[in-house]
Amino acid sequence: MPKDRLRIILADDHTVMRAGLVALLASEPTIDIVGEAGDGRAAIELVKRVEPDVALLDLRMPILDGVAATAEILAVRPRTRVLILTTYDTDADIERAVEAGATGYLLKDATRDQLVEAIHSASRGETVLAPRVARRLVARMRQPTPVALTSREIDVLNGVADGLNNADIGKRLFIAEATVKTHLLRIFAKLDVNDRTHAVVLALERGLLTRP
């Protein structure tokens, strides 16, 4: 047996799907399927017994889902890499799997070659993402980071939008002029701007400030 042959387990509650994966990978000389499980809890126990290099887990499983199983597997055997193989590509599912420590997230429409490559990449600790999943994550990263202003910061910014200076804003809100300046500095930092005008414009564009 080649030294670089990877030991993997499969966990999926659909017997037909597991059989299909076994058939798909059986002829691969670099991979050795050392166990199968029908739910997340059984997958954890299997990992404890056979200590695989990679655990290939379905996302939606009974007793314990793929995300919860991922977290427990990494707790009992950190050397085992977890590769999620699922039909679901929603943002919430992807985030939960990544946060739990999954090395990869692959969809079940992957080809045999893509699956084999993903297993080997995961075994090396490399992040593996289905192209569709990768595109979704990149798109989210390119979105502006959500900004939240406190009610007092909004009051101050409304004063700016009304054309008031710091002293007048302080009088309107019954706070010191120095406190108005502090609020403005925090607003500038949150919105990544350097002046009052840009702060108002950007806050209006993002819906953080509403004007009659």
Side-chain angles (χ1 to χ4, degrees):
M1 181 183 297
K3 290 183 179 180
D4 59 349
R5 193 177 180 100
L6 295 176
R7 293 162 50 81
I8 75 168
I9 67 159
L10 308 174
D12 195 303
D13 59 320
H14 294 98
T15 306
V16 174
M17 177 57 69
R18 291 206 312 274
L21 287 171
V22 170
L24 199 65
L25 298 172
S27 61
E28 174 55 45
T30 63
I31 290 174
D32 193 16
I33 301 171
V34 295
E36 300 177 42
D39 61 70
R41 177 58 60 194
I44 295 167
E45 296 305 316
L46 190 57
V47 166
K48 291 178 181 178
R49 289 200 312 271
V50 303
E51 300 185 340
D53 299 301
V54 178
L56 201 58
L57 307 184
D58 186 19
L59 188 64
R60 308 281 175 88
M61 293 187 290
I63 304 178
L64 207 62
D65 68 9
V67 172
T70 295
E72 288 204 32
I73 285 172
L74 296 178
V76 299
R77 192 172 191 275
R79 289 179 59 190
T80 294
R81 308 294 186 179
V82 176
L83 183 59
I84 298 292
L85 182 62
T86 180
T87 56
Y88 303 96
D89 66 345
T90 63
D91 291 345
D93 287 327
I94 296 168
E95 287 180 3
R96 288 175 61 232
V98 172
E99 288 174 359
T103 302
Y105 196 104
L106 211 60
L107 302 179
K108 288 183 178 178
D109 59 1
T111 65
R112 177 185 179 279
D113 289 343
Q114 289 172 334
L115 183 56
V116 170
E117 183 179 354
I119 290 171
H120 280 277
S121 295
S123 73
R124 295 189 295 268
E126 299 171 7
T127 300
V128 181
L129 294 175
R132 192 158 79 238
V133 171
R135 286 194 295 270
R136 290 172 71 97
L137 290 178
V138 169
R140 290 195 65 186
M141 290 174 63
R142 287 175 177 170
Q143 293 176 353
T145 303
V147 173
L149 298 179
T150 67
S151 59
R152 180 57 84 190
E153 288 168 349
I154 291 173
D155 290 340
V156 169
L157 208 50
N158 268 316
V160 174
D162 288 337
L164 302 180
N165 59 33
N166 290 354
D168 290 335
I169 293 173
K171 291 176 183 177
R172 175 193 281 187
L173 301 178
F174 303 103
I175 58 178
E177 184 177 350
T179 303
V180 174
K181 291 180 180 178
T182 299
H183 284 306
L184 281 172
L185 288 174
R186 289 175 179 167
I187 292 168
F188 292 172
K190 287 182 177 181
L191 297 177
D192 193 23
V193 296
N194 296 312
D195 61 73
R196 299 157 68 95
T197 300
H198 283 108
V200 171
V201 170
L202 195 57
L204 286 170
E205 288 178 352
R206 296 191 181 183
L208 300 171
L209 193 65
T210 56
R211 304 292 292 167

